[in-house]
Amino acid sequence: MARKKIALIGAGQIGGTLAHLVGLKELGDVVLFDIAEGIPQGKGLDLAESSPVDGFDAAYKGTQSYADIEGADVIIVTAGVPRKPGMSRDDLLGINLKVMESVGQGIKQYAPDAFVICITNPLDAMVWALQKASGLPKNKIVGMAGVLDSARFRYFLAEEFKVSVEDVTAFVLGGHGDDMVPLVRYSTVAGIPLPDLVKMGWTSQDKLDAIVERTRKGGGEIVNLLKTGSAFYAPAASAIAMAESYLKDKKRVLPCAAHLDGEYGVKDMFVGVPIVIGAGGVERVVEIAMNDAEKAMFEKSVASVQGLVEACKGINPAFA
Ligand code: A3D
């Protein structure tokens, strides 16, 4: 069987890390596309030269031509600009919307059967715009945010409880913004929900609240430390988990920005919810029960995404 083909649109910090992980995990051959001449070619060659040392077989091609993504099985989009200190994700909207229009055209022309994962911010609005521009079926395009947000939550919790990250599960819903919704009730250590762990004296409610807040601002914490860009190792690892679930038909249940058509009371928007990813793409949207407080937080988060989607429609009326 021929190797799978994975196209990475955007060969910056996340794109380069994705390309490395695809090789190390032997998920397939890689096409790195970027408008910056030499960057995808240079990164591709450098990575290919690491393959004899690490012992993996994968072809790397850097390109400025969309024709090279033809027939890709998976496409991961990071093209655009990242945040700098003092910027919100929403400040990126105008620039990155234009980028999504050109990336969508390229996908439509050369790889309309691919499973597409969008990472470009502001995430929930950009994946919405990319679907409009590419015309992809709505079960074949998702946004990466929830896996990253819940990984941050899991890491902070494991640190607090002094247990393995492997035994902490966490749930984060809603848009990828500072009003995302970390769901404490559905987050556990080896199956024990967090509110029970508070009762058991493992942590205090105040400490748990502080961890929730740190999770919400997790992206900004890294931006302030790096100063020249935003997080890339954990975002890349998160998107690879999604791609792997599709390529290997693992049917993992992962929080992703998925198209909602009435689920959770939301129409024609991409918002972070738990989904099953398998060979059929988004195979199921999992609708969990929320209490009133959780619902209120979710609705607030959805309203922020709605605002960004309306702004996209204002800039490009063809998407309305
Ligand atoms: P960066 O290292 O700047 O890479 C972006 C790349 O996109 C650069 O190499 C650009 O040359 C390239 N590019 C720009 N315009 C185009 C275009 N029209 N076509 C093709 N390539 C183009 O950024 P990064 O890799 O650190 O981040 C990429 C995106 O991911 C940004 O929008 C970030 O805000 C976003 N991001 C999202 C998350 C989420 O959790 C959703 C986390 C971290 C970063």
Side-chain angles (χ1 to χ4, degrees):
M1 202 199 302
R3 283 188 213 138
K4 298 289 183 191
K5 178 167 174 176
I6 294 145
L8 307 173
I9 313 290
Q13 297 280 57
I14 302 178
T17 311
L18 287 167
H20 198 192
L21 289 172
V22 169
L24 291 173
K25 288 176 171 264
E26 287 201 322
L27 294 180
D29 290 338
V30 179
V31 174
L32 280 151
F33 175 99
D34 202 293
I35 49 166
E37 272 177 45
I39 297 288
Q41 287 84 355
K43 288 195 178 182
L45 182 58
D46 189 13
L47 284 164
E49 288 168 357
S50 79
S51 65
V53 182
D54 279 318
F56 64 80
D57 289 293
Y60 284 90
K61 182 175 177 65
T63 185
Q64 270 75 48
S65 164
Y66 273 108
D68 288 319
I69 73 166
E70 185 152 26
D73 298 286
V74 168
I75 298 178
I76 307 180
V77 179
T78 59
V81 293
R83 283 197 282 172
K84 301 257 162 59
M87 286 172 91
S88 80
R89 294 179 180 90
D90 304 356
D91 293 335
L92 306 173
L93 187 120
I95 307 169
N96 287 350
L97 180 63
K98 290 229 160 358
V99 176
M100 290 307 103
E101 287 165 7
S102 65
V103 174
Q105 276 304 317
I107 294 174
K108 186 181 219 162
Q109 191 172 351
Y110 293 105
D113 297 324
F115 180 63
V116 174
I117 301 168
C118 179
I119 307 186
T120 302
N121 269 321
L123 192 269
D124 309 87
M126 291 303 101
V127 63
W128 177 90
L130 188 60
Q131 191 281 323
K132 295 277 178 208
S134 63
L136 282 166
K138 290 169 181 138
N139 64 325
K140 296 294 284 296
I141 173 164
V142 286
M144 186 296 294
V147 177
L148 171 65
D149 296 330
S150 51
R152 286 179 174 147
F153 196 23
R154 287 171 67 194
Y155 171 68
F156 299 148
L157 290 168
E159 223 188 2
E160 165 67 6
F161 296 139
K162 299 188 177 47
V163 298
S164 166
V165 289
E166 284 188 70
D167 296 317
V168 183
T169 62
F171 234 107
V172 176
L173 290 187
H176 181 60
D178 292 350
D179 51 11
M180 68 180 82
V181 189
L183 279 189
V184 169
R185 263 184 337 126
Y186 286 101
S187 304
T188 75
V189 173
I192 310 165
L194 295 183
D196 290 358
L197 290 165
V198 173
K199 282 189 209 139
M200 288 158 62
W202 278 43
T203 188
S204 64
Q205 189 60 48
D206 284 353
K207 277 192 179 163
L208 186 54
D209 291 346
I211 288 175
V212 166
E213 205 41 36
R214 189 176 177 197
T215 302
R216 286 204 171 109
K217 309 235 163 83
E221 186 177 357
I222 305 271
V223 169
N224 288 335
L225 287 166
L226 293 179
K227 295 184 184 70
T228 52
S230 55
F232 52 101
Y233 294 114
S238 302
I240 290 291
M242 294 162 64
E244 206 170 2
S245 191
Y246 172 75
L247 290 167
K248 298 184 179 171
D249 193 23
K250 282 171 75 84
K251 304 195 188 299
R252 292 198 60 192
V253 183
L254 296 169
C256 305
H259 184 264
L260 299 182
D261 189 24
E263 299 92 343
Y264 289 93
V266 177
K267 268 262 183 208
D268 193 28
M269 278 204 313
F270 285 75
V271 181
V273 293
I275 58 169
V276 176
I277 299 183
V282 179
E283 297 187 348
R284 188 195 293 179
V285 172
V286 184
E287 272 191 273
I288 57 164
M290 287 189 270
N291 62 29
D292 288 346
E294 291 159 353
K295 242 184 237 159
M297 282 193 286
F298 182 76
E299 277 161 16
K300 183 169 173 237
S301 179
V302 169
S304 318
V305 177
Q306 177 88 57
L308 294 175
V309 166
E310 293 307 323
C312 290
K313 289 179 186 169
I315 299 169
N316 185 341
F319 286 170

